[in-house]
Amino acid sequence: MMAGMRPIWGHWILIFWLGTCAEALTRATGSKPAEFGKRYTGFVDKNTEELYSFSYTSKNDTVDALRVFVSSNSINLEFPVLFVVRQQKAILSWQVPMVFRGNFPRTYTYQDVSRTLCPTEPEEGTGSQEQFIYIDIASMSPSIVQYELMVTRLLSFQLKTSVPFNFSASPSQPQYFLYTFPEGVDSVIIKVKSPENYPCSVVSVQDISCPVYDLDYNVEFNGVYQTMTKQAAITVQRKEYPGGKFYVVFVIKPEDYTCGGTVPQSTQGSGNHTWNLKRVKHMEVTVSPSVKDSVYVQATLLCLLYFLIFYVGSLLVAFVHYVSIHRKERNLKGSPDEGEGTVAASHPITTSTPDGSSYGAIDESSPGARKMTPPPIPRPRVYSDSSADEESDFDAIPEMETDKNVIRAKTFLYVSDLAVKDRRVVSKKYRIYFWNIITIAVFYALPVVQLVITYQTVLNVTGNQDICYYNFLCAHPLGVLSAFNNVMSNMGHVLLGFLFLLIVLRRDLLHRHLLEVNDTYAKDYGIPKHFGLFYTMGVALIMEGVLSACYHVCPNYSNFQFDTSFMYMIAGLCMLKLYQTRHPDINASAYAAYASFALVIFLAVMGVIFGKDNIWFWVIFSIVHVVGSLALSTHIYYMGRFRIDFGIFKRIAQVLYTDCMQQCSRPMYMDRMILLIVGNIVNWLFAIFGLVFRPRDFPSYLLGIFICNLLLYLAFYIIMKLRSSERIQTLPLFCIIATAVVWAAALYFFFQTLSSWEQTPAESREKNRSCIILHFFDDHDIWHFLSATAMFFSFLVLLTLDDDLDVVRRDKIPVF
């Protein structure tokens, strides 16, 4: 029986195969030959299917691109009209109505669709070839649906170098064009402009392959891309596309949320479904050659040359100083003994030593010098670091004179009153700053480097250029870096920081030599020399350059604190150094200072996370800011004798009651009181400003507080120095003027905002600008150069400001 059924099964299989072939033959022979540029109208349903065929001849030296325009009156999303385009090496399909989903629970539907077909690359040496395209139109709709079809040949499909090209696109009508690298061009920049902000669009660069991803939901699948409002720019290197060709794709998003917009006004109140929303964007694209490799070399050499000038200038100043010292030495040797002794006595610090080093040395061979040597003042050298108010049962005068709380309570204080601790102990205390910042730098920088490398890798792998906020109109890639110029421009912080360390080292060595030659003058003349904070400032400047470079590897909202962390520390260290100059015994310990810096960085991170719209964060921060200012002011006014603990507010209230209510007495330290009142007013204004306006860039706001307090203290110090009849020598005066001029120029370029992570990536790109120096450096790079220079000069001001006091006894140098 089974054997008898085999012929029957074979018969049915043969019938089915013949029927399939017949149907295929019928469909093939039933295709309608069509012409380019002609509009065709037809009807389809579940029983009817249309097939159109187009043919054309492709040439070996041209790329032919076709564009298909279709529309349908169907509004039934359950039974759309399906369009399938079959080419020689690709198949493209879509449906009408075409549906897009937005970020909100809303859909956008379009009945008019146009797509560019993936061009067929002609093979070399084959000459002209005939190409065929078939368009199949079908629907499962139970009722008849009308459609329209038109296919055109694109005459302007290839973009030309440096020639602007204008076009328009919409969500259902994306566009893309071909660009071929000219001979001798290894890098180009694609600039796209639009007169209107919205609709939001996406610019993508994709390799020559089919299919081309040109819809909102798949444009991110291939190549590199970035969102756009008014302008966009993408730099493309030939090495990334071995064929020397790529597509530039333009997609219009159905919503503007990605670009910082909201739900379109025309759709509000219309439910979750919108039909045929008018979202046409007019754009202009220009592909221009980027900078050549030689420009990279020239820019790097220019950067090195600029900072090499400071090294040469420092050597020149040191040489002039050396020559002047030896000239004085020769003059002293040639003068009579009486004159030599007189000069040596009147200028004990500037008189050179026998071996040529004059940093505070004195020629002890001079009888006049030995005659004028002041007797050493007996003074205890070791005191406890505690600031506690200790009471004694004994009221002996010597004990009162040596007790630091009694000394600091004097109406008029001199440096000798606050420099009673052993010099070696104090120097070790300040040296802790240096070793601690080295440790902090290593542990802080390593994870930062790892994180930014990860960011750069993610950008290179995904092609999502919205991750990083570059100035894309002036972002020059090199290796794995997308903006090498922004990274390299931080070189100045490193080079000038290292130079400052060398200058401090020279001064330190000269001072040590002075201590070996004449310890008496080193101890009793001039400001006490402690270089630990200066070394720390140099390392901080170097680390600011390193971390700023790390931030600019991929600048964004998440890692902005890397660019500002050491700026807080630099500002704090400068204030500590300025205070330590005339208060060497009562400065903060390294551990307390770095704990304070850690708290500041913690607040900066909290501000980035919660500072946007959280009013409670600003209330708490303002309270902490004001209370901290009052507590620090009290500590400064009472020279460290007012303990900062939980009882400080009670003691402040008692002082205010006794000194201001019971009897209104004049402040004991009027100058210090004026400084603190002005400082508190400035800080309270900052707190009020933050509470009212709540700036989104909280790290910059916090940095502004630090810088304003530093400038205020520096201005007060200089004014008080001049009021005390002290003079400012030529070198520090030059540094002060240079600091003011360079800071002014640097801030001008700083406020030329080229990007902003406070906004969306597309809105940030509206601020992008072209390069201004060598077609390589932009305004922000100039800010890096000038800010590094300004900080270097600022450090030199602190280092040299009191050089005039090297010949003055410490018991004649006032404290303020």
Side-chain angles (χ1 to χ4, degrees), residues 306-325:
Y306 172 75
F307 294 109
L308 183 62
I309 294 174
F310 292 92
Y311 280 80
V312 175
S314 300
L315 289 175
L316 188 61
V317 170
F319 177 74
V320 171
H321 182 254
Y322 177 82
V323 171
S324 64
I325 289 174

Side-chain angles (χ1 to χ4, degrees), residues 643-808:
R643 288 173 297 176
I644 297 181
D645 53 22
F646 290 105
I648 186 173
F649 300 106
K650 180 181 178 180
R651 293 193 295 274
I652 290 176
Q654 291 175 349
V655 171
L656 292 176
Y657 177 75
T658 55
D659 292 353
C660 298
M661 296 184 180
Q662 286 188 341
Q663 56 178 2
C664 187
S665 58
R666 183 179 182 274
M668 181 178 294
Y669 313 112
M670 180 58 70
D671 295 329
R672 204 180 308 160
M673 176 61 73
I674 293 175
L675 166 68
L676 295 175
I677 289 176
V678 175
N680 276 274
I681 291 174
V682 171
N683 281 277
W684 295 349
L685 290 176
F686 264 106
I688 294 172
F689 174 82
L691 194 59
V692 174
F693 295 99
R694 298 196 294 275
R696 296 186 63 184
D697 189 357
F698 182 80
S700 295
Y701 165 79
L702 190 60
L703 184 60
I705 295 175
F706 271 82
I707 292 178
C708 282
N709 280 275
L710 173 60
L711 294 178
L712 183 67
Y713 190 22
L714 180 60
F716 168 80
Y717 190 93
I718 294 176
I719 292 172
M720 292 301 300
K721 182 178 177 67
L722 296 177
R723 278 193 59 190
S724 302
S725 299
E726 299 175 8
R727 64 189 182 89
I728 300 177
Q729 292 184 342
T730 304
L731 180 58
L733 180 61
F734 168 78
C735 292
I736 291 173
I737 297 174
T739 299
V741 172
V742 178
W743 268 124
L747 290 175
Y748 169 79
F749 287 100
F750 175 75
F751 288 111
Q752 305 299 314
T753 308
L754 303 180
S755 62
S756 174
W757 50 259
E758 300 174 24
Q759 300 173 307
T760 63
E763 291 173 323
S764 172
R765 272 184 279 274
E766 295 179 19
K767 306 176 185 294
N768 289 176
R769 297 183 187 176
S770 300
C771 306
I772 59 175
I773 295 182
L774 292 179
H775 301 289
F776 193 84
F777 294 118
D778 59 15
D779 297 76
H780 199 73
D781 294 324
I782 307 304
W783 150 254
H784 287 162
F785 294 145
L786 295 181
S787 63
T789 306
M791 281 191 281
F792 175 72
F793 279 125
S794 302
F795 289 1
L796 290 181
V797 170
L798 299 181
L799 182 64
T800 62
L801 186 57
D802 290 317
D803 282 355
D804 61 301
L805 301 179
D806 286 346
V807 296
V808 181

Side-chain angles (χ1 to χ4, degrees), residues 148 283 447 609 618:
E148 290 186 355
M283 292 176 279
I609 299 174
W618 285 98

